[in-house]
Amino acid sequence: DGRPDIRPRPDGRPIPDGRPDFRPRQDGRPIPDGRPDFRPRQDGRPIPDGRPDFRPRPDGYRPPRPPIGPPPKVIYNYRRSFTGYNHYWTPDWYHRHPTMWNPYWIPYRSWWVRPAWHTTWGWFAPGFFAGVVVGNNLNPYYYNYGSNIVYSGDMVYVNGVPYVSSAEYYRQALELANTNTVVVERIVEKEVPVIIEKEVPIIVEREVPALPLDDKKADWLPMGTFAFAAGDGDTEAVPEKGMIIQLASDKKGRIRGNYLDEETGETRQVIGAIDPKTQRVALKFADDDRMVIECGLWNLTQDSVPILIHRDEDDTQNGTLIRLVPPEEDKDDMEEFVAP
């Protein structure tokens, strides 16, 4: 009589008249007619049609959040206005700046490319990221200051959860920046005071660099060269001469590099380290015991890097590092760096 057939079909026979089939499929057979498949996938098969995959990952992996930083036009303006691609970090530059860290064994063109994430985390010594590696991939942590890392009062919140006090957070960054960089050598000397005429041991602490300035035996991965931008770096105004920083990491997570102020010509060495548990990176000038710059390791593989500048325990400021890579029309056949 033309009425629709809404009876359940326990025998699996097709429903006539071209009506949609809303029956659940327990046997894994494809649903016909090109309709979306909203069934949960427990077997790890990819979901078709390019739809977002919101399934929980049993291995705990989550893709990193898309970076929140300056728009592509601003990044392009920085790269296009920069003129030091063929002048900085060259043998001639190190010759004119003998007090700077000189990794002369690294081709200067390697400082102007972006290392891929898998190249970066795979560079470190086996076991460096122990307990964090999932399968054959390292779950990257994204640091976005003011979003997932927030200061509120005297506390620092990470992903909405109270973490530590702001003073402790600064202390952690300063301590990390000094990791594997400076050790304290304890020397016991004996002195005979005139009054009591008795030998009294005196402990003298002396700072000794743990990493020589010319550590040519160590393997270093160039992380790139970056320009400093204020705040989120979202302004299109680009300074004619800015502040740039060169960074590299060895297989033990130690950071080295150089800082250059193009306006004043000031140069300073940069030291720091990576926390293998949190992927937090802390940097400082070798001659400054107060200011620390921090970011995330995964962020350092991107075009823009949110940073937090600790000028002191109670003085913090947001900033951005913009990766300097020659625009396509200006690359001048620069070679891409491939980690050995």
Side-chain angles (χ1 to χ4, degrees):
D1 53 8
R3 290 179 294 115
D5 182 1
I6 56 175
R7 295 171 298 163
R9 293 292 181 87
D11 56 1
R13 289 180 297 136
I15 296 180
D17 306 324
R19 291 179 293 108
D21 181 1
F22 294 104
R23 295 172 298 161
R25 293 291 180 84
Q26 304 298 330
D27 54 1
R29 291 179 297 136
I31 295 182
D33 307 323
R35 290 178 291 110
D37 181 0
F38 294 105
R39 296 172 297 160
R41 294 289 180 83
Q42 304 298 332
D43 55 4
R45 291 178 297 139
I47 295 183
D49 307 323
R51 291 179 290 113
D53 184 358
F54 295 106
R55 296 172 298 158
R57 298 287 183 86
D59 55 10
Y61 174 79
R62 290 291 186 278
R65 294 181 55 187
I68 302 173
K73 183 178 181 180
V74 173
I75 296 177
Y76 176 82
N77 288 344
Y78 269 87
R79 293 174 173 177
R80 192 71 179 87
S81 64
F82 183 70
T83 59
Y85 294 111
N86 291 310
H87 304 291
Y88 299 144
W89 328 138
T90 63
D92 178 66
W93 190 89
Y94 291 119
H95 178 73
R96 289 183 287 107
H97 300 83
T99 61
M100 293 298 97
W101 180 56
N102 182 4
Y104 58 84
W105 58 93
I106 299 178
Y108 83 94
R109 297 178 186 272
S110 300
W111 299 105
W112 310 105
V113 295
R114 188 181 90 176
W117 171 242
H118 69 274
T119 301
T120 302
W121 79 263
W123 165 261
F124 298 96
F128 181 74
F129 290 107
V132 182
V133 177
V134 178
N136 293 322
N137 195 15
L138 177 66
N139 184 10
Y141 300 149
Y142 183 75
Y143 281 69
N144 186 19
Y145 304 100
S147 178
N148 64 345
I149 299 179
V150 178
Y151 276 71
S152 180
D154 295 331
M155 288 294 297
V156 175
Y157 291 74
V158 177
N159 295 323
V161 179
Y163 180 49
V164 293
S165 67
S166 56
E168 174 65 14
Y169 194 71
Y170 165 77
R171 188 196 64 79
Q172 289 179 359
L174 186 61
E175 186 177 277
L176 177 60
N178 284 317
T179 301
N180 295 324
T181 303
V182 173
V183 296
V184 175
E185 182 182 49
R186 299 176 66 86
I187 304 173
V188 177
E189 298 180 350
K190 292 184 178 180
E191 184 179 86
V192 182
V194 177
I195 299 178
I196 60 176
E197 295 184 355
K198 182 180 179 181
E199 290 188 350
V200 178
I202 298 177
I203 298 177
V204 179
E205 293 187 347
R206 183 175 66 193
E207 291 187 349
V208 180
L211 185 63
L213 296 179
D214 187 13
D215 193 8
K216 58 187 177 184
K217 294 183 180 180
D219 292 325
W220 292 89
L221 173 69
M223 301 296 293
T225 303
F226 304 85
F228 282 90
D232 293 333
D234 54 359
T235 176
E236 296 186 9
V238 178
E240 182 177 349
K241 293 183 180 295
M243 298 176 290
I244 64 173
I245 189 172
Q246 162 207 41
L247 297 174
S249 175
D250 74 351
K251 293 182 179 294
K252 295 182 179 180
R254 297 178 296 186
I255 299 289
R256 297 298 305 269
N258 294 307
Y259 162 87
L260 169 64
D261 187 331
E262 294 184 292
E263 183 69 30
T264 64
E266 179 189 16
T267 56
R268 304 171 77 175
Q269 284 200 44
V270 178
I271 57 178
I274 302 168
D275 185 339
K277 294 182 179 179
T278 63
Q279 299 174 26
R280 186 182 181 186
V281 179
L283 312 167
K284 66 185 288 287
F285 296 124
D287 58 355
D288 191 330
D289 294 329
R290 304 296 297 178
M291 190 173 77
V292 187
I293 301 172
E294 70 165 86
C295 62
L297 178 60
W298 182 83
N299 301 82
L300 272 180
T301 65
Q302 304 304 301
D303 287 329
S304 63
V305 185
I307 60 174
L308 187 63
I309 303 172
H310 303 269
R311 298 191 180 278
D312 209 330
E313 181 177 310
D314 55 357
D315 184 2
T316 60
Q317 177 184 349
N318 286 14
T320 303
L321 295 179
I322 295 180
R323 181 180 297 277
L324 295 175
V325 177
E328 290 294 331
E329 61 268 29
D330 292 342
K331 280 194 174 178
D332 192 26
D333 298 325
M334 283 195 167
E335 302 171 359
E336 182 177 358
F337 174 76
V338 179

